[in-house]
Amino acid sequence: MELTPWETPAVIDYKKTMEQFGVKPIADVLDNLKNEHHFFRRNIILGHRDFERIVDAIKNNKEFAVVSGMMPSGKMHFGHKMVVDLLKFYQKYTDNINIPIADLEAYWARNMSFETTKELALNEYITNYIALGLDPEKINVYLQSKYQKVKDLALILSKRTNWSEMKAIYGFKGETNIGHVFAPIVQVADILHPQVDENLNPEPKPVVVPVGIDQDPHIRLTRDIANRAKEFKFIPPSSTYHRFMTGLLGGKMSSSKPETAIFLTDDEKTVKKKIFSAKTGGRETLEEHKKYGGIPEECVVYELFLYHLILDDKELADIYQKCRSGELTCGKCKKMAYEKVVEFLKDLKEKREQAKEIALKILEGKY
């Protein structure tokens, strides 16, 4: 299967994809961490590369860093919120949280202006990251185009790969612009820069990159280059892989298709329309649903509960069983989801006003 950061199929066979690219199941290495976050317990994070290093660092209070880039190509939705939830988890154990804003990649690969990318990053992403509870004291947010350390490192590391490898990993073609070809090298520098100081002297430490499986090409390239660049003494980065949320109508969730996602700035009327139009695992008729029960595994509304809206495992299990038995109808389930989302977004809106001032200071380097 062809899988790149810019082309992802609507349906992914995670087991097959993990086997194809050598990603290991994460359940084998979690130990007690599975009780620390519902993403681990509920198999939302399902694969990893070398996550043992991070488990060891957490258990033994050792230094490690986190890198989680953002591509501000549209409005922020619940699928993006997953990343913030993970960063909040890691902030309990490290203050070395790095958030690159991929404005160079956006310019080269998506034809977005630097001004547009910066505005989206400020208003949609950094503001919501802070409003969602990320501690601004523990994050390093930067624009790729403005961070000299990353740009210098990218120039040096570019000698550690070649056109043949880039073409094999990303499927680049003759018409691909050179900036787009170079974009992954900047991503490599984003991931490895916590392991060098401002003068690019080695400061090796474990680094974890939480991503969707579509970003694994960047991880593979980074790990290969880390092993080749002996002078930096890099520790190849660890990574975790989470499932993508399903779009509200089934298929992919996308900022470019508003009907597929609940945005963090949606109003009550919009949320109601989206949730009550969402794909469910219910039967064709109410009579059949009560007789045969629903299929929560195929229900987008249940997925909202699973990922975001219900953190209590017993409460979630109760909803699951009542759906399977037919006791809980889709109408009642949608009403419950609508009320929870509206309450969540109302609280977030209040927090966002204060967060925007902090976000602006962060982006201007004044925080």
Side-chain angles (χ1 to χ4, degrees):
M1 182 182 70
E2 186 171 326
L3 189 72
T4 76
W6 309 286
E7 293 181 17
T8 308
V11 179
I12 298 176
D13 184 329
Y14 288 100
K15 185 174 185 296
K16 184 177 180 180
T17 304
M18 286 167 58
E19 290 174 352
Q20 179 180 350
F21 294 108
V23 175
K24 297 178 181 178
I26 200 167
D28 299 339
V29 301
L30 283 177
D31 199 14
N32 291 330
L33 270 190
K34 66 182 179 182
N35 299 318
E36 296 295 321
H37 201 285
H38 67 285
F39 283 0
F40 293 130
R41 294 195 305 274
R42 298 176 183 179
N43 202 35
I44 293 169
I45 297 175
L46 68 166
H48 79 102
R49 294 185 188 277
D50 287 345
F51 193 61
E52 298 96 333
R53 291 195 184 108
I54 307 305
V55 174
D56 176 67
I58 289 173
K59 286 174 62 177
N60 296 295
N61 199 28
K62 297 178 182 177
E63 183 183 12
F64 73 98
V66 183
V67 177
S68 178
M70 67 169 77
M71 169 59 77
S73 57
K75 295 174 69 175
M76 189 170 171
H77 54 63
F78 269 81
H80 299 127
K81 175 182 172 291
M82 292 172 60
V83 175
V84 184
D85 291 338
L86 271 176
L87 294 181
K88 286 166 61 180
F89 162 74
Y90 286 122
Q91 278 196 336
K92 295 190 295 183
Y93 305 102
T94 180
D95 58 4
N96 197 337
I97 307 283
N98 300 272
I99 305 175
I101 301 168
D103 62 337
L104 287 176
E105 182 182 352
Y107 179 75
W108 289 325
R110 299 178 185 266
N111 201 30
M112 292 176 62
S113 71
F114 290 106
E115 293 77 14
T116 299
T117 303
K118 184 177 180 179
E119 184 179 342
L120 276 171
L122 171 63
N123 295 325
E124 283 291 331
Y125 289 80
I126 305 174
T127 297
N128 276 312
Y129 276 35
I130 303 302
L132 286 166
L134 207 57
D135 185 348
E137 300 284 350
K138 293 185 177 182
I139 56 177
N140 170 34
V141 181
Y142 63 88
L143 291 158
Q144 288 178 328
S145 63
K146 302 298 183 184
Y147 199 10
Q148 196 61 46
K149 176 182 173 182
V150 164
K151 291 191 289 184
D152 288 347
L153 188 58
L155 292 174
I156 293 170
L157 296 179
S158 64
K159 286 185 65 175
R160 302 297 179 173
T161 186
N162 56 48
W163 167 247
S164 295
E165 182 176 45
M166 299 297 283
K167 182 180 178 182
I169 293 175
Y170 296 101
F172 290 139
K173 298 179 172 59
E175 62 270 22
T176 305
N177 74 72
I178 297 301
H180 192 172
V181 175
F182 190 67
I185 307 300
V186 181
Q187 297 270 7
V188 169
D190 283 329
I191 294 170
L192 294 178
H193 91 270
Q195 298 194 58
V196 296
D197 66 15
E198 292 301 318
N199 296 314
L200 305 189
N201 297 310
E203 290 185 348
K205 63 179 67 66
V207 175
V208 62
V209 189
V211 291
I213 197 74
D214 62 323
Q215 300 297 310
D216 188 55
H218 289 325
I219 304 299
R220 298 198 306 270
L221 177 65
T222 304
R223 287 168 60 86
D224 286 344
I225 289 178
N227 283 319
R228 295 168 192 157
K230 302 295 186 184
E231 69 273 26
F232 288 105
K233 303 176 183 177
F234 290 129
I235 298 173
S238 305
S239 53
T240 61
Y241 302 90
H242 54 256
R243 298 179 186 273
F244 292 112
M245 286 194 71
T246 309
L248 294 174
L249 304 179
K252 293 172 67 175
M253 181 177 289
S254 172
S255 294
S256 62
K257 297 179 180 179
E259 69 277 8
T260 69
I262 297 174
F263 297 118
L264 300 187
T265 50
D266 277 345
D267 57 31
E268 289 188 30
K269 184 178 179 181
T270 303
V271 170
K272 187 172 184 177
K273 180 180 179 181
K274 288 181 176 181
I275 289 181
F276 279 86
S277 300
K279 176 182 177 292
T280 71
R283 304 293 177 173
E284 290 189 9
T285 67
L286 182 60
E287 183 181 354
E288 287 183 353
H289 185 84
K290 289 185 175 181
K291 183 177 181 180
Y292 300 111
I295 309 172
E297 292 87 353
E298 298 179 3
C299 180
V300 172
V301 178
Y302 177 77
E303 196 173 280
L304 277 169
F305 294 148
L306 180 74
Y307 281 65
H308 298 288
L309 301 179
I310 297 179
L311 302 183
D312 185 280
D313 292 341
K314 291 182 179 179
E315 183 182 354
L316 184 70
D318 184 58
I319 290 173
Y320 181 91
Q321 292 301 330
K322 286 181 177 178
C323 174
R324 294 291 296 183
S325 69
E327 179 183 348
L328 180 62
T329 62
C330 295
K332 290 180 180 178
C333 206
K334 286 182 175 181
K335 183 176 183 292
M336 187 193 318
Y338 162 70
E339 290 172 350
K340 287 181 177 293
V341 170
V342 166
E343 181 182 1
F344 172 82
L345 292 182
K346 182 179 179 181
D347 179 61
L348 183 66
K349 184 178 180 180
E350 294 174 0
K351 293 177 179 176
R352 196 159 45 231
E353 294 304 315
Q354 182 179 357
K356 189 170 183 177
E357 295 180 17
I358 298 174
L360 182 58
K361 290 179 181 179
I362 288 174
L363 206 54
E364 293 177 343
K366 298 177 181 178
Y367 189 81

